[in-house]
PDB file of all heavy atoms in Angstrom:
ATOM      1  N   LEU A  10      -5.274  12.479   9.926  1.00 91.00           N
ATOM      2  CA  LEU A  10      -5.984  11.929  11.077  1.00 91.00           C
ATOM      3  C   LEU A  10      -6.021  10.406  10.983  1.00 91.00           C
ATOM      4  O   LEU A  10      -6.476   9.845   9.981  1.00 91.00           O
ATOM      5  CB  LEU A  10      -7.410  12.479  11.131  1.00 91.00           C
ATOM      6  CG  LEU A  10      -8.302  11.996  12.267  1.00 91.00           C
ATOM      7  CD1 LEU A  10      -7.729  12.398  13.629  1.00 91.00           C
ATOM      8  CD2 LEU A  10      -9.720  12.543  12.104  1.00 91.00           C
ATOM      9  N   ILE A  11      -5.513   9.729  12.022  1.00 87.00           N
ATOM     10  CA  ILE A  11      -5.609   8.272  12.128  1.00 87.00           C
ATOM     11  C   ILE A  11      -6.849   7.961  12.953  1.00 87.00           C
ATOM     12  O   ILE A  11      -6.913   8.300  14.135  1.00 87.00           O
ATOM     13  CB  ILE A  11      -4.354   7.675  12.794  1.00 87.00           C
ATOM     14  CG1 ILE A  11      -3.099   8.064  12.011  1.00 87.00           C
ATOM     15  CG2 ILE A  11      -4.463   6.153  12.877  1.00 87.00           C
ATOM     16  CD1 ILE A  11      -1.802   7.576  12.635  1.00 87.00           C
ATOM     17  N   VAL A  12      -7.857   7.354  12.323  1.00 83.00           N
ATOM     18  CA  VAL A  12      -9.147   7.150  12.983  1.00 83.00           C
ATOM     19  C   VAL A  12      -9.485   5.670  13.086  1.00 83.00           C
ATOM     20  O   VAL A  12      -8.973   4.838  12.335  1.00 83.00           O
ATOM     21  CB  VAL A  12     -10.278   7.889  12.232  1.00 83.00           C
ATOM     22  CG1 VAL A  12     -10.061   9.381  12.278  1.00 83.00           C
ATOM     23  CG2 VAL A  12     -10.379   7.412  10.786  1.00 83.00           C
ATOM     24  N   GLY A  13     -10.376   5.361  14.010  1.00 76.00           N
ATOM     25  CA  GLY A  13     -10.820   3.991  14.225  1.00 76.00           C
ATOM     26  C   GLY A  13     -11.423   3.881  15.608  1.00 76.00           C
ATOM     27  O   GLY A  13     -11.133   4.694  16.492  1.00 76.00           O
ATOM     28  N   GLU A  14     -12.275   2.897  15.801  1.00 74.00           N
ATOM     29  CA  GLU A  14     -12.889   2.708  17.111  1.00 74.00           C
ATOM     30  C   GLU A  14     -11.836   2.309  18.135  1.00 74.00           C
ATOM     31  O   GLU A  14     -10.740   1.881  17.788  1.00 74.00           O
ATOM     32  CB  GLU A  14     -13.988   1.640  17.019  1.00 74.00           C
ATOM     33  CG  GLU A  14     -15.157   2.016  16.109  1.00 74.00           C
ATOM     34  CD  GLU A  14     -15.881   3.259  16.566  1.00 74.00           C
ATOM     35  OE1 GLU A  14     -15.990   3.467  17.791  1.00 74.00           O
ATOM     36  OE2 GLU A  14     -16.310   4.050  15.711  1.00 74.00           O
ATOM     37  N   ASN A  15     -12.199   2.431  19.401  1.00 75.00           N
ATOM     38  CA  ASN A  15     -11.288   2.030  20.475  1.00 75.00           C
ATOM     39  C   ASN A  15     -10.901   0.557  20.330  1.00 75.00           C
ATOM     40  O   ASN A  15     -11.749  -0.293  20.039  1.00 75.00           O
ATOM     41  CB  ASN A  15     -11.952   2.245  21.838  1.00 75.00           C
ATOM     42  CG  ASN A  15     -11.952   3.701  22.254  1.00 75.00           C
ATOM     43  OD1 ASN A  15     -11.088   4.467  21.827  1.00 75.00           O
ATOM     44  ND2 ASN A  15     -12.911   4.096  23.067  1.00 75.00           N
ATOM     45  N   LYS A  19      -5.070   1.906  16.557  1.00 78.00           N
ATOM     46  CA  LYS A  19      -4.540   3.203  16.127  1.00 78.00           C
ATOM     47  C   LYS A  19      -3.173   3.491  16.754  1.00 78.00           C
ATOM     48  O   LYS A  19      -2.227   3.876  16.065  1.00 78.00           O
ATOM     49  CB  LYS A  19      -5.524   4.319  16.503  1.00 78.00           C
ATOM     50  CG  LYS A  19      -6.901   4.205  15.884  1.00 78.00           C
ATOM     51  CD  LYS A  19      -7.771   5.413  16.182  1.00 78.00           C
ATOM     52  CE  LYS A  19      -8.030   5.612  17.673  1.00 78.00           C
ATOM     53  NZ  LYS A  19      -8.754   4.494  18.287  1.00 78.00           N
ATOM     54  N   GLU A 137      -4.192  11.015  20.804  1.00 90.00           N
ATOM     55  CA  GLU A 137      -5.288  11.582  21.607  1.00 90.00           C
ATOM     56  C   GLU A 137      -4.841  12.906  22.243  1.00 90.00           C
ATOM     57  O   GLU A 137      -4.737  13.034  23.468  1.00 90.00           O
ATOM     58  CB  GLU A 137      -5.735  10.588  22.681  1.00 90.00           C
ATOM     59  CG  GLU A 137      -6.254   9.265  22.153  1.00 90.00           C
ATOM     60  CD  GLU A 137      -7.600   9.386  21.423  1.00 90.00           C
ATOM     61  OE1 GLU A 137      -8.174  10.496  21.388  1.00 90.00           O
ATOM     62  OE2 GLU A 137      -8.065   8.369  20.873  1.00 90.00           O
ATOM     63  N   PRO A 138      -4.580  13.913  21.428  1.00 91.00           N
ATOM     64  CA  PRO A 138      -3.993  15.155  21.940  1.00 91.00           C
ATOM     65  C   PRO A 138      -4.896  15.945  22.878  1.00 91.00           C
ATOM     66  O   PRO A 138      -4.432  16.878  23.534  1.00 91.00           O
ATOM     67  CB  PRO A 138      -3.707  15.957  20.665  1.00 91.00           C
ATOM     68  CG  PRO A 138      -4.652  15.412  19.643  1.00 91.00           C
ATOM     69  CD  PRO A 138      -4.790  13.962  19.972  1.00 91.00           C
ATOM     70  N   ASP A 139      -6.182  15.593  22.953  1.00 91.00           N
ATOM     71  CA  ASP A 139      -7.086  16.286  23.875  1.00 91.00           C
ATOM     72  C   ASP A 139      -6.992  15.751  25.299  1.00 91.00           C
ATOM     73  O   ASP A 139      -7.658  16.279  26.208  1.00 91.00           O
ATOM     74  CB  ASP A 139      -8.531  16.174  23.375  1.00 91.00           C
ATOM     75  CG  ASP A 139      -8.965  14.732  23.186  1.00 91.00           C
ATOM     76  OD1 ASP A 139      -8.533  14.103  22.206  1.00 91.00           O
ATOM     77  OD2 ASP A 139      -9.720  14.232  24.024  1.00 91.00           O
ATOM     78  N   ARG A 144     -12.299  20.719  25.167  1.00 91.00           N
ATOM     79  CA  ARG A 144     -12.331  20.756  23.705  1.00 91.00           C
ATOM     80  C   ARG A 144     -11.709  22.034  23.143  1.00 91.00           C
ATOM     81  O   ARG A 144     -10.893  21.986  22.217  1.00 91.00           O
ATOM     82  CB  ARG A 144     -13.777  20.621  23.221  1.00 91.00           C
ATOM     83  CG  ARG A 144     -13.934  20.688  21.709  1.00 91.00           C
ATOM     84  CD  ARG A 144     -15.345  20.382  21.296  1.00 91.00           C
ATOM     85  NE  ARG A 144     -15.521  20.523  19.856  1.00 91.00           N
ATOM     86  CZ  ARG A 144     -16.618  20.193  19.197  1.00 91.00           C
ATOM     87  NH1 ARG A 144     -17.644  19.669  19.858  1.00 91.00           N
ATOM     88  NH2 ARG A 144     -16.700  20.349  17.904  1.00 91.00           N
ATOM     89  N   ALA A 147      -7.930  21.977  23.644  1.00 92.00           N
ATOM     90  CA  ALA A 147      -7.291  20.950  22.821  1.00 92.00           C
ATOM     91  C   ALA A 147      -7.174  21.394  21.367  1.00 92.00           C
ATOM     92  O   ALA A 147      -6.116  21.235  20.743  1.00 92.00           O
ATOM     93  CB  ALA A 147      -8.081  19.647  22.918  1.00 92.00           C
ATOM     94  N   ILE A 148      -8.249  21.952  20.829  1.00 93.00           N
ATOM     95  CA  ILE A 148      -8.222  22.392  19.432  1.00 93.00           C
ATOM     96  C   ILE A 148      -7.223  23.528  19.247  1.00 93.00           C
ATOM     97  O   ILE A 148      -6.440  23.547  18.286  1.00 93.00           O
ATOM     98  CB  ILE A 148      -9.628  22.814  18.973  1.00 93.00           C
ATOM     99  CG1 ILE A 148     -10.546  21.580  18.908  1.00 93.00           C
ATOM    100  CG2 ILE A 148      -9.578  23.506  17.615  1.00 93.00           C
ATOM    101  CD1 ILE A 148     -11.991  21.892  18.604  1.00 93.00           C
ATOM    102  N   LEU A 167      -2.526  12.968  13.656  1.00 93.00           N
ATOM    103  CA  LEU A 167      -3.307  12.931  14.887  1.00 93.00           C
ATOM    104  C   LEU A 167      -3.964  11.570  15.032  1.00 93.00           C
ATOM    105  O   LEU A 167      -4.429  10.991  14.048  1.00 93.00           O
ATOM    106  CB  LEU A 167      -4.398  14.004  14.874  1.00 93.00           C
ATOM    107  CG  LEU A 167      -3.997  15.434  14.534  1.00 93.00           C
ATOM    108  CD1 LEU A 167      -5.246  16.307  14.436  1.00 93.00           C
ATOM    109  CD2 LEU A 167      -3.043  15.977  15.561  1.00 93.00           C
ATOM    110  N   ILE A 168      -4.023  11.057  16.264  1.00 90.00           N
ATOM    111  CA  ILE A 168      -4.726   9.816  16.551  1.00 90.00           C
ATOM    112  C   ILE A 168      -5.916  10.142  17.436  1.00 90.00           C
ATOM    113  O   ILE A 168      -5.742  10.711  18.522  1.00 90.00           O
ATOM    114  CB  ILE A 168      -3.830   8.798  17.276  1.00 90.00           C
ATOM    115  CG1 ILE A 168      -2.598   8.468  16.459  1.00 90.00           C
ATOM    116  CG2 ILE A 168      -4.610   7.532  17.607  1.00 90.00           C
ATOM    117  CD1 ILE A 168      -1.606   7.584  17.191  1.00 90.00           C
ATOM    118  N   SER A 169      -7.110   9.804  16.994  1.00 88.00           N
ATOM    119  CA  SER A 169      -8.284  10.066  17.824  1.00 88.00           C
ATOM    120  C   SER A 169      -9.497   9.322  17.267  1.00 88.00           C
ATOM    121  O   SER A 169      -9.579   9.042  16.067  1.00 88.00           O
ATOM    122  CB  SER A 169      -8.592  11.564  17.885  1.00 88.00           C
ATOM    123  OG  SER A 169      -9.667  11.820  18.750  1.00 88.00           O
ATOM    124  N   HIS A 170     -10.440   9.016  18.164  1.00 82.00           N
ATOM    125  CA  HIS A 170     -11.717   8.465  17.721  1.00 82.00           C
ATOM    126  C   HIS A 170     -12.803   9.524  17.832  1.00 82.00           C
ATOM    127  O   HIS A 170     -13.977   9.259  17.544  1.00 82.00           O
ATOM    128  CB  HIS A 170     -12.099   7.251  18.585  1.00 82.00           C
ATOM    129  CG  HIS A 170     -12.331   7.581  20.026  1.00 82.00           C
ATOM    130  ND1 HIS A 170     -11.297   7.742  20.918  1.00 82.00           N
ATOM    131  CD2 HIS A 170     -13.464   7.806  20.724  1.00 82.00           C
ATOM    132  CE1 HIS A 170     -11.787   8.032  22.115  1.00 82.00           C
ATOM    133  NE2 HIS A 170     -13.096   8.090  22.023  1.00 82.00           N
ATOM    134  N   LYS A 171     -12.428  10.741  18.225  1.00 85.00           N
ATOM    135  CA  LYS A 171     -13.409  11.811  18.392  1.00 85.00           C
ATOM    136  C   LYS A 171     -13.616  12.563  17.080  1.00 85.00           C
ATOM    137  O   LYS A 171     -12.680  12.740  16.293  1.00 85.00           O
ATOM    138  CB  LYS A 171     -12.940  12.767  19.490  1.00 85.00           C
ATOM    139  CG  LYS A 171     -12.919  12.109  20.862  1.00 85.00           C
ATOM    140  CD  LYS A 171     -12.514  13.073  21.949  1.00 85.00           C
ATOM    141  CE  LYS A 171     -12.545  12.375  23.309  1.00 85.00           C
ATOM    142  NZ  LYS A 171     -12.113  13.264  24.407  1.00 85.00           N
ATOM    143  N   PRO A 172     -14.841  13.041  16.846  1.00 84.00           N
ATOM    144  CA  PRO A 172     -15.146  13.716  15.576  1.00 84.00           C
ATOM    145  C   PRO A 172     -14.635  15.145  15.495  1.00 84.00           C
ATOM    146  O   PRO A 172     -14.736  15.763  14.437  1.00 84.00           O
ATOM    147  CB  PRO A 172     -16.686  13.691  15.551  1.00 84.00           C
ATOM    148  CG  PRO A 172     -17.095  13.701  16.990  1.00 84.00           C
ATOM    149  CD  PRO A 172     -16.052  12.906  17.709  1.00 84.00           C
ATOM    150  N   TRP A 173     -14.064  15.665  16.597  1.00 84.00           N
ATOM    151  CA  TRP A 173     -13.599  17.047  16.591  1.00 84.00           C
ATOM    152  C   TRP A 173     -12.633  17.341  15.463  1.00 84.00           C
ATOM    153  O   TRP A 173     -12.608  18.442  14.915  1.00 84.00           O
ATOM    154  CB  TRP A 173     -12.866  17.382  17.898  1.00 84.00           C
ATOM    155  CG  TRP A 173     -13.593  17.120  19.151  1.00 84.00           C
ATOM    156  CD1 TRP A 173     -14.907  16.747  19.301  1.00 84.00           C
ATOM    157  CD2 TRP A 173     -13.054  17.192  20.475  1.00 84.00           C
ATOM    158  NE1 TRP A 173     -15.192  16.592  20.636  1.00 84.00           N
ATOM    159  CE2 TRP A 173     -14.092  16.863  21.375  1.00 84.00           C
ATOM    160  CE3 TRP A 173     -11.796  17.522  20.969  1.00 84.00           C
ATOM    161  CZ2 TRP A 173     -13.893  16.844  22.748  1.00 84.00           C
ATOM    162  CZ3 TRP A 173     -11.600  17.507  22.336  1.00 84.00           C
ATOM    163  CH2 TRP A 173     -12.638  17.174  23.217  1.00 84.00           C
ATOM    164  N   TRP A 174     -11.799  16.357  15.145  1.00 91.00           N
ATOM    165  CA  TRP A 174     -10.650  16.604  14.287  1.00 91.00           C
ATOM    166  C   TRP A 174     -10.930  16.382  12.801  1.00 91.00           C
ATOM    167  O   TRP A 174     -10.061  16.645  11.963  1.00 91.00           O
ATOM    168  CB  TRP A 174      -9.493  15.711  14.719  1.00 91.00           C
ATOM    169  CG  TRP A 174      -9.233  15.778  16.183  1.00 91.00           C
ATOM    170  CD1 TRP A 174      -9.449  14.800  17.107  1.00 91.00           C
ATOM    171  CD2 TRP A 174      -8.731  16.898  16.926  1.00 91.00           C
ATOM    172  NE1 TRP A 174      -9.110  15.222  18.372  1.00 91.00           N
ATOM    173  CE2 TRP A 174      -8.664  16.512  18.296  1.00 91.00           C
ATOM    174  CE3 TRP A 174      -8.321  18.183  16.576  1.00 91.00           C
ATOM    175  CZ2 TRP A 174      -8.210  17.374  19.292  1.00 91.00           C
ATOM    176  CZ3 TRP A 174      -7.873  19.039  17.565  1.00 91.00           C
ATOM    177  CH2 TRP A 174      -7.820  18.632  18.902  1.00 91.00           C
ATOM    178  N   LEU A 175     -12.121  15.907  12.461  1.00 89.00           N
ATOM    179  CA  LEU A 175     -12.397  15.584  11.061  1.00 89.00           C
ATOM    180  C   LEU A 175     -12.317  16.815  10.154  1.00 89.00           C
ATOM    181  O   LEU A 175     -11.772  16.746   9.052  1.00 89.00           O
ATOM    182  CB  LEU A 175     -13.780  14.920  10.938  1.00 89.00           C
ATOM    183  CG  LEU A 175     -13.870  13.494  11.497  1.00 89.00           C
ATOM    184  CD1 LEU A 175     -15.318  13.017  11.499  1.00 89.00           C
ATOM    185  CD2 LEU A 175     -12.993  12.546  10.699  1.00 89.00           C
ATOM    186  N   LYS A 176     -12.861  17.950  10.622  1.00 90.00           N
ATOM    187  CA  LYS A 176     -12.822  19.167   9.807  1.00 90.00           C
ATOM    188  C   LYS A 176     -11.406  19.727   9.702  1.00 90.00           C
ATOM    189  O   LYS A 176     -11.079  20.412   8.736  1.00 90.00           O
ATOM    190  CB  LYS A 176     -13.760  20.216  10.402  1.00 90.00           C
ATOM    191  CG  LYS A 176     -15.242  19.865  10.277  1.00 90.00           C
ATOM    192  CD  LYS A 176     -16.109  20.998  10.819  1.00 90.00           C
ATOM    193  CE  LYS A 176     -17.581  20.659  10.671  1.00 90.00           C
ATOM    194  NZ  LYS A 176     -18.453  21.753  11.197  1.00 90.00           N
ATOM    195  N   LEU A 177     -10.594  19.422  10.685  1.00 90.00           N
ATOM    196  CA  LEU A 177      -9.222  19.932  10.708  1.00 90.00           C
ATOM    197  C   LEU A 177      -8.294  19.147   9.781  1.00 90.00           C
ATOM    198  O   LEU A 177      -7.352  19.697   9.219  1.00 90.00           O
ATOM    199  CB  LEU A 177      -8.689  19.881  12.141  1.00 90.00           C
ATOM    200  CG  LEU A 177      -7.264  20.352  12.400  1.00 90.00           C
ATOM    201  CD1 LEU A 177      -7.160  21.853  12.122  1.00 90.00           C
ATOM    202  CD2 LEU A 177      -6.862  20.058  13.830  1.00 90.00           C
ATOM    203  N   SER A 178      -8.572  17.853   9.626  1.00 92.00           N
ATOM    204  CA  SER A 178      -7.653  16.972   8.894  1.00 92.00           C
ATOM    205  C   SER A 178      -7.739  17.195   7.384  1.00 92.00           C
ATOM    206  O   SER A 178      -8.796  17.519   6.845  1.00 92.00           O
ATOM    207  CB  SER A 178      -7.954  15.512   9.226  1.00 92.00           C
ATOM    208  OG  SER A 178      -9.243  15.151   8.776  1.00 92.00           O
ATOM    209  N   THR A 181      -6.746  11.112   5.830  1.00 87.00           N
ATOM    210  CA  THR A 181      -7.078  10.185   6.914  1.00 87.00           C
ATOM    211  C   THR A 181      -6.476   8.802   6.671  1.00 87.00           C
ATOM    212  O   THR A 181      -6.271   8.381   5.526  1.00 87.00           O
ATOM    213  CB  THR A 181      -8.604  10.008   7.074  1.00 87.00           C
ATOM    214  OG1 THR A 181      -9.166   9.566   5.827  1.00 87.00           O
ATOM    215  CG2 THR A 181      -9.278  11.294   7.494  1.00 87.00           C
ATOM    216  N   ARG A 183      -7.631   5.139   8.108  1.00 83.00           N
ATOM    217  CA  ARG A 183      -8.648   4.430   8.890  1.00 83.00           C
ATOM    218  C   ARG A 183      -8.106   3.048   9.260  1.00 83.00           C
ATOM    219  O   ARG A 183      -7.602   2.325   8.408  1.00 83.00           O
ATOM    220  CB  ARG A 183      -9.956   4.317   8.115  1.00 83.00           C
ATOM    221  CG  ARG A 183     -10.544   5.664   7.766  1.00 83.00           C
ATOM    222  CD  ARG A 183     -11.900   5.585   7.095  1.00 83.00           C
ATOM    223  NE  ARG A 183     -12.388   6.914   6.767  1.00 83.00           N
ATOM    224  CZ  ARG A 183     -13.024   7.711   7.612  1.00 83.00           C
ATOM    225  NH1 ARG A 183     -13.278   7.264   8.844  1.00 83.00           N
ATOM    226  NH2 ARG A 183     -13.422   8.911   7.250  1.00 83.00           N
TER     227      ARG A 183
END
Side-chain angles (χ1 to χ4, degrees):
L10 179 62
I11 303 177
V12 296
E14 297 299 325
N15 283 334
K19 300 186 298 298
E137 300 291 356
D139 56 285
R144 178 173 177 173
I148 292 174
L167 309 174
I168 301 174
S169 184
H170 64 280
K171 294 182 178 178
W173 306 352
W174 310 111
L175 289 172
K176 291 183 179 180
L177 179 66
S178 64
T181 57
R183 299 185 181 276

